[in-house]
Amino acid sequence: MHLHDLWFILIAVLWIGYFFLEGFDFGVGVLTKLLARNGTERRVLINTIGPVWDGNEVWLITAAGATFAAFPDWYATMFSGFYIPLLIILFCLIVRGVAFEYRAKQSGARWQRNWEEATFWTSLLPPFLWGVIFANVVRGLAIDADKSYVGGLGDLFNGYAILGGFMTLVLFVCHGAVFAALKTLGEIRDRARTQATQLGAVAVLLLIAFLLWTQADSGNGRSLGVMVVAFVALVGALVMTRLGRDGWAFTLSGLTVVAAFATLFLALYPDVMPSTLDPDWSLTVSNAASSSYTLKVMTIVAAVFTPIVLIYQSWTYWVFRRRIGVQHIPAGH
């Protein structure tokens, strides 16, 4: 295996890890409006992700940085072609973090309501846009011989990409509902299970439609096998949710997210961004990669620091592993 193949796998792992972790906290952010019935319940939901949401975003920074260093042409074409959607995502992530911190700074109803609205919308838009972006990466873009995107913003919102956006959004909200059921107590947990079941039924249909379309266009034997895993895992997550086995439900829900996006990367390889204008202009793991020396240094650095990051983040989840309920929220908080 060449180093550029190894780094394609590592970058896929980073992006998939980001979607697995940020997926449920985006979902919880959306559920602050769909699931919670009052300010106290919204506080409960926010507290379930409060200790971990910023750590989850580290995976995005690492994935983008690794893409820039290992495949600079991929990074340049992707981040210029998707400039507007990525700018919107960045704006949402900034406002979302501020909303989490500022909501409780004042007790006024209007103040809190405005930040709650911000939390909802900045949690809803990024999953949809990430789905649109990665659907287009797999489908291909109008890339010319200079490795530049020459299409327009409207070209990004084709039928396949929009389906990918809705699939990602509904899957993440379902993932968030399963996480909320795992982390909460009492009535809010019961409603989270009901919401997860309802959203899961819609997610199954969208997942089948999107991944079958992907398989028909650019799939292979490997992507087909992982696609089946995604379907089975999501159905299993819904069954476990109905049985009240929240730990297993979250494990299978997470496996669904992992398998769904792994299907996309497997269908994409060995391209990193196909060209719809001329296959010879496509960016691949070989023609978009950095030098062998750069990849070698990156491999050494990753081997040293990645385990440290994983251990620290795992410890964070372990420390904040207990369930919480409305009884844990101080009066007037």
Side-chain angles (χ1 to χ4, degrees), residues 22 68 234 254 288 322 329:
E22 192 86 300
F68 169 75
L234 183 53
R322 297 188 184 280
I329 306 299

CSV table of all heavy atoms in Angstrom, one decimal, residues 22 68 234 254 288 322 329:
chain,number,residue,atom,x,y,z
A,22,GLU,N,-20.1,14.5,15.8
A,22,GLU,CA,-20.8,15.8,15.7
A,22,GLU,C,-22.2,15.5,15.2
A,22,GLU,O,-23.1,16.3,15.4
A,22,GLU,CB,-20.1,16.7,14.7
A,22,GLU,CG,-20.6,18.1,14.6
A,22,GLU,CD,-20.0,19.0,15.6
A,22,GLU,OE1,-20.1,18.7,16.8
A,22,GLU,OE2,-19.4,20.0,15.2
A,68,PHE,N,-5.6,19.1,3.8
A,68,PHE,CA,-4.8,20.2,3.2
A,68,PHE,C,-3.3,19.7,3.1
A,68,PHE,O,-2.7,19.9,2.1
A,68,PHE,CB,-4.8,21.4,4.2
A,68,PHE,CG,-3.8,22.4,3.9
A,68,PHE,CD1,-3.9,23.2,2.8
A,68,PHE,CD2,-2.7,22.6,4.7
A,68,PHE,CE1,-2.9,24.2,2.5
A,68,PHE,CE2,-1.7,23.5,4.4
A,68,PHE,CZ,-1.8,24.3,3.3
A,234,LEU,N,-29.1,0.3,11.1
A,234,LEU,CA,-30.2,1.3,11.4
A,234,LEU,C,-31.5,0.6,11.9
A,234,LEU,O,-32.1,1.0,12.9
A,234,LEU,CB,-30.5,2.2,10.2
A,234,LEU,CG,-31.5,3.3,10.4
A,234,LEU,CD1,-31.2,4.1,11.6
A,234,LEU,CD2,-31.7,4.1,9.1
A,254,GLY,N,-24.7,4.7,15.7
A,254,GLY,CA,-23.4,5.2,15.3
A,254,GLY,C,-22.8,4.4,14.2
A,254,GLY,O,-22.2,4.9,13.3
A,288,ALA,N,-3.3,14.0,-6.7
A,288,ALA,CA,-3.6,15.1,-5.8
A,288,ALA,C,-2.8,15.1,-4.5
A,288,ALA,O,-3.0,16.0,-3.6
A,288,ALA,CB,-5.1,15.1,-5.5
A,322,ARG,N,-22.8,9.9,33.1
A,322,ARG,CA,-24.1,9.7,33.8
A,322,ARG,C,-25.3,10.3,33.1
A,322,ARG,O,-25.1,11.3,32.4
A,322,ARG,CB,-24.0,10.2,35.2
A,322,ARG,CG,-22.9,9.4,36.0
A,322,ARG,CD,-23.0,9.8,37.5
A,322,ARG,NE,-21.9,9.2,38.2
A,322,ARG,CZ,-22.0,8.0,38.7
A,322,ARG,NH1,-23.0,7.2,38.4
A,322,ARG,NH2,-20.9,7.4,39.3
A,329,ILE,N,-31.4,20.2,37.1
A,329,ILE,CA,-31.3,21.5,36.7
A,329,ILE,C,-31.8,22.4,37.9
A,329,ILE,O,-32.9,22.4,38.3
A,329,ILE,CB,-32.1,21.8,35.5
A,329,ILE,CG1,-31.7,20.9,34.3
A,329,ILE,CG2,-31.9,23.3,35.0
A,329,ILE,CD1,-30.3,20.9,33.9
